[in-house]
Amino acid sequence: DQQVKQNSPSLSVQEGRISILNCDYTNSMFDYFLWYKKYPAEGPTFLISISSIKDKNEDGRFTVFLNKSAKHLSLHIVPSQPGDSAVYFCAAHTPGRRALTFGSGTRLQVQP
Amino acid sequence: GAGVSQSPRYKVAKRGQDVALRCDPISGHVSLFWYQQALGQGPEFLTYFQNEAQLDKSGLPSDRFFAERPEGSVSTLKIQRTQQEDSAVYLCASSLRWGLAGTIEETQYFGPGTRLLVL
């Protein structure tokens, strides 16, 4: 039973355009959501997070939006750059636990 | 080095063989995590240490999996009598200490992983 789902395995966008990566979750107890970025042969790298009491968090070109009623979050990258090409994982934190619950990832390709 | 390191990077084992995977966390990081990532999937939690204490091992799939961190720094994940379904990338992560979720203290920094292939 996947509690965090990324239904799009891949996404391709043109350089300079917006990339929107989506994530859905089922567990309403999650209190924090994170996005990790992974390049081939490297471990995931933390990108940005959002508390469940917020609906938006912005860091430079990266913005995460949270819609609690829909149990949906999205990562917006504007403008997209070729160096953003990677696999993006959505992850969620459960209160009282240290482990993160990850989605299956979305491979983003930014075309020059 | 400044990051989490893991060794070996690649391991090929025959079914039934025992393997040991090593993780060197970031110096001074109290918390250490092991995750298993199957092909095409996200990382799945295996176990968590705070210093040398294994506080959560709820994700270990069977009693063939054993992890230790005897001195609160380096950790070893051991898999006994490996099976083909154990083939995956094993990721180690560390964080500074216990803190509020989303804080810098709680941010998990991942190593590059060990890719295990069981034939």
Side-chain angles (χ1 to χ4, degrees):
Chain A
D1 178 29
Q2 268 195 304
Q3 296 188 63
V4 178
K5 297 180 185 179
Q6 294 176 259
N7 292 317
S8 298
S10 64
L11 174 69
S12 182
V13 300
Q14 289 292 121
E15 181 178 3
R17 298 290 188 101
I18 183 171
S19 296
I20 300 176
L21 297 102
N22 294 303
C23 178
D24 297 291
Y25 63 95
T26 57
N27 188 345
S28 57
M29 296 299 294
F30 289 143
D31 64 349
Y32 234 92
F33 301 90
L34 307 91
W35 286 92
Y36 276 81
K37 174 180 178 179
K38 185 182 182 305
Y39 292 119
E42 295 184 12
T45 303
F46 170 73
L47 192 56
I48 190 170
S49 65
I50 187 167
S51 165
S52 61
I53 63 173
K54 301 282 180 76
D55 55 18
K56 177 181 174 182
N57 188 28
E58 192 171 351
D59 184 3
R61 296 186 298 114
F62 302 91
T63 303
V64 57
F65 295 93
L66 175 62
N67 182 336
K68 278 191 73 175
S69 60
K71 293 193 176 69
H72 177 85
L73 65 155
S74 60
L75 173 67
H76 293 213
I77 307 174
V78 182
S80 301
Q81 299 173 353
D84 296 329
S85 297
V87 177
Y88 289 78
F89 291 100
C90 171
H93 178 270
T94 308
R97 288 201 74 203
R98 304 302 306 286
L100 295 175
T101 303
F102 283 84
S104 56
T106 296
R107 182 178 301 279
L108 173 67
Q109 184 145 12
V110 180
Q111 308 281 0
Chain B
V4 178
S5 60
Q6 294 186 244
S7 61
R9 293 294 309 275
Y10 303 93
K11 176 71 179 176
V12 179
K14 292 183 179 178
R15 191 162 56 94
Q17 190 177 350
D18 296 350
V19 298
L21 312 180
R22 177 188 168 107
C23 172
D24 282 85
I26 294 172
S27 177
H29 277 199
V30 165
S31 300
L32 185 144
F33 305 79
W34 284 99
Y35 290 84
Q36 179 190 59
Q37 185 179 12
L39 191 64
Q41 300 299 314
E44 288 198 11
F45 171 76
L46 293 176
T47 187
Y48 157 68
F49 290 85
Q50 186 167 306
N51 294 307
E52 68 279 1
Q54 189 176 19
L55 299 185
D56 188 347
K57 52 182 180 179
S58 61
L60 296 176
S62 77
D63 58 7
R64 297 186 296 104
F65 287 71
F66 171 78
E68 60 183 4
R69 192 186 186 199
E71 296 177 0
S73 55
V74 170
S75 177
T76 304
L77 176 67
K78 298 179 179 177
I79 309 173
Q80 297 177 321
R81 305 180 303 280
T82 52
Q83 304 294 315
Q84 285 184 323
E85 62 262 28
D86 299 335
S87 296
V89 175
Y90 290 85
L91 293 164
C92 175
S94 69
S95 67
L96 185 59
R97 59 178 177 268
W98 174 270
L100 287 175
T103 63
I104 190 68
E105 291 86 358
E106 277 275 311
T107 300
Q108 294 185 27
Y109 297 87
F110 283 82
T114 294
R115 183 175 295 276
L116 173 65
L117 177 62
V118 182
L119 301 176

